[in-house]
Amino acid sequence: MYALIDCNNFFVSCERLFDPALEGMPVGVLSNNDGCIIARSEELKALGIAMGMPMHQIPSMQRQRIVFKSSNYALYGDLSSRVQRVLAARVPALEPYSIDECFLDLRGMSNDLDALGRELVHAVEREVGLPVSLGIAPTRTLAKLANRRAKGMPGRPQLCLWPDANAPDLSHFLRQLPVKAVWGIGSRLALRLASLGIDNAAALRDAPEALLRKRFSVVMARTARELRGTPCLEAHDLDTPRRSILCSRSFGRLLNERDQLSDALRHHCQRAGEKLRRDDMLASAIGVFLRTNPHHAGPQQSHPLWTMLPFPSADTLRLNHYAQRLLAELWQPGIAYQKLGVMLADLSPRRGSQTSLFEGHEPARQEALMQTWDAIHRRYGRHALTLGLQCRNAAWQMNSRYHSPRYTTRWDELPQVST
DNA sequence: TCTGGGGTCCTAGGACCC
DNA sequence: TCTGGGGTCCTAGGACCC
């Protein structure tokens, strides 16, 4: 038996937790660069503002009634880990799935799943202050749907329990549910399924397995089985090392200046190196991409250029050196670029890494330099030491006009309270 | 004018082997 | 004119997730 617990309108709820004046108002949290809507309060949904809607497509009349917030990942990330701590204290197996969702493996847990579910929801709401909903079902795919069902329920706690695939209202719910709402079915697959007459979740559940395997893939067949109540998905293993690292940003405006692009890339390399060392990994390959705005007409560029590093490394200086060479190859005069990113791949653990007979390895003094670098950051903050000069408000930096304070991680951003 | 960032997994197809 | 069969490995690209 699995549970999926999900924070309702997570980013909006985080903003409201520290600014109760937002309660009852239409609130929209914006993507990086204040580009589009990535989280909506119920009031904003009621205004007909769609998820992912670009900011500039919202009519200005409507815009004046909406409270916008730039995304504040320092705040959301911290609250997310608090939610996880509350849950981890109550169930043996936790599988964090995203910043606002967690699967719980309830096998071997109490028989009274309803009481357990209520306790979990209340605990998060009481100890963190964020509203959550909970779905319980025999498979992760059904637990996702039970969670969706719970969200539609009035009152608290929002909880839906489907102890088996024959639960009374389950079939009815699946028949009403567009197939696209099933976990793993995106808009492309939904279109292809519809062409076979499969347009709701119950139809997918009942479709012949051979057909799904033949016309789609094993993934689709697995999804259908999960809908029938047979668990087929592996646990989202926390210990699985990540396979790639990506650091990228859209610019505040379109750019072609070499020095600006080079500055931005240096900044991304610095972040990528930090991520790599935090995971205690080395990278063997590095890629850079420069992207034009795909929404504009005219020649497009987006393909990355890759190169192998001479040996696996987590040295920011080395990463930057090779990345800058790739940038020089990619850059073309007169093209307006919108986004730049660096990617690291062929990752391997630093400890016990095999060095081949012909392959070099990172000199000890470079490793020591990076350890010192990270130690300075831990002690004095991330801006204490940067690769080259990194000025604030450079043209390549993103827009963030509606940023709230990082309430839980920065003393200096706490609002002053007069005594 | 303004359209996010960061991941994972799967498959098709090409290159290559004997 | 006719031009094998069977396998592995790798990569690019598509699809998905939040």
Side-chain angles (χ1 to χ4, degrees), chain A residues 97-385:
Chain A
Y97 175 66
S98 72
I99 195 166
D100 69 331
E101 282 171 78
C102 222
F103 283 110
L104 314 173
D105 187 342
L106 300 183
R107 282 176 295 186
M109 293 285 294
S110 119
N111 289 330
D112 193 348
L113 292 173
D114 186 66
L116 175 65
R118 286 167 183 276
E119 156 63 7
L120 292 172
V121 170
H122 282 139
V124 175
E125 297 188 344
R126 190 174 60 234
E127 294 177 29
V128 187
L130 295 172
V132 294
S133 47
L134 180 69
I136 300 180
T139 66
R140 293 181 181 81
T141 303
L142 284 173
K144 282 280 252 187
L145 296 180
N147 181 280
R148 183 190 173 100
R149 173 88 181 83
K151 279 195 178 1
M153 290 178 169
R156 312 226 63 89
Q158 289 183 313
L159 171 66
C160 171
L161 177 58
W162 287 334
D164 59 65
N166 301 314
D169 66 333
L170 173 53
S171 268
H172 176 72
F173 183 75
L174 294 188
R175 269 195 302 276
Q176 306 293 317
L177 192 72
V179 73
K180 178 168 180 333
V182 175
W183 191 31
I185 311 297
S187 45
R188 303 295 179 107
L189 289 175
L191 277 177
R192 288 172 54 198
L193 283 166
S195 73
L196 298 173
I198 301 171
D199 59 359
N200 65 74
L204 175 58
R205 175 195 63 188
D206 302 332
E209 178 146 337
L211 174 79
L212 297 179
R213 294 253 356 202
K214 182 158 174 281
R215 302 294 292 267
F216 298 92
S217 69
V218 287
V219 186
M220 184 69 81
R222 255 185 240 150
T223 297
R225 275 197 196 193
E226 285 251 327
L227 288 175
R228 295 197 292 272
T230 309
C232 301
L233 299 178
E234 292 295 310
H236 192 72
D237 195 349
L238 276 186
D239 301 331
T240 309
R242 75 165 113 207
R243 307 172 64 91
S244 64
I245 286 175
L246 168 66
C247 290
S248 68
R249 283 285 181 281
S250 299
F251 309 128
R253 62 168 173 84
L254 296 177
L255 273 186
N256 180 262
E257 295 88 330
R258 277 294 302 274
D259 54 343
Q260 293 273 348
L261 295 171
S262 174
D263 278 4
L265 182 57
R266 219 165 52 213
H267 176 76
H268 299 333
C269 285
Q270 190 179 311
R271 286 200 301 137
E274 285 162 10
K275 279 192 200 180
L276 197 54
R277 295 193 297 277
R278 203 186 311 141
D279 284 7
D280 212 18
M281 305 273 273
L282 303 172
S284 296
I286 185 167
V288 171
F289 67 88
L290 258 179
R291 202 188 75 178
T292 49
N293 188 332
H295 303 282
H296 289 185
Q300 296 285 329
Q301 188 180 333
S302 68
H303 284 291
L305 218 49
W306 286 91
T307 190
M308 296 298 291
L309 296 170
F311 43 78
S313 171
D315 177 7
T316 297
L317 302 175
R318 194 176 305 282
L319 299 178
N320 183 57
H321 172 78
Y322 286 94
Q324 296 289 347
R325 294 218 310 219
L326 293 171
L327 174 64
E329 277 187 67
L330 280 170
W331 180 81
Q332 295 179 52
I335 292 196
Y337 294 109
Q338 185 222 21
K339 183 174 180 176
L340 167 67
V342 61
M343 298 179 282
L344 304 178
D346 288 357
L347 306 187
S348 55
R350 191 173 66 85
R351 285 177 213 286
S353 67
Q354 292 267 341
T355 50
S356 84
L357 189 56
F358 307 105
E359 189 177 61
H361 57 84
E362 195 73 69
R365 55 199 302 263
Q366 290 303 117
E367 288 207 5
L369 177 62
M370 286 300 114
Q371 282 172 18
T372 307
W373 176 300
D374 293 332
I376 291 174
H377 275 202
R378 279 194 297 275
R379 178 141 182 199
Y380 299 104
R382 295 181 67 198
H383 296 290
L385 190 61

Side-chain angles (χ1 to χ4, degrees), chain A residues 25-68:
Chain A
M25 304 183 70
V27 181
V29 175
L30 300 167
S31 63
N32 278 327
N33 234 359
D34 293 341
C36 48
I37 299 277
I38 55 168
R40 304 164 296 160
S41 70
E42 294 303 324
E43 296 80 0
L44 189 60
K45 291 176 192 174
L47 288 180
I49 302 295
M51 187 69 169
M53 195 169 189
M55 178 72 156
H56 67 94
Q57 281 179 9
I58 302 174
S60 58
M61 283 291 284
Q62 236 176 353
R63 226 182 285 182
Q64 290 165 13
R65 302 170 53 194
I66 300 171
V67 181
F68 293 104

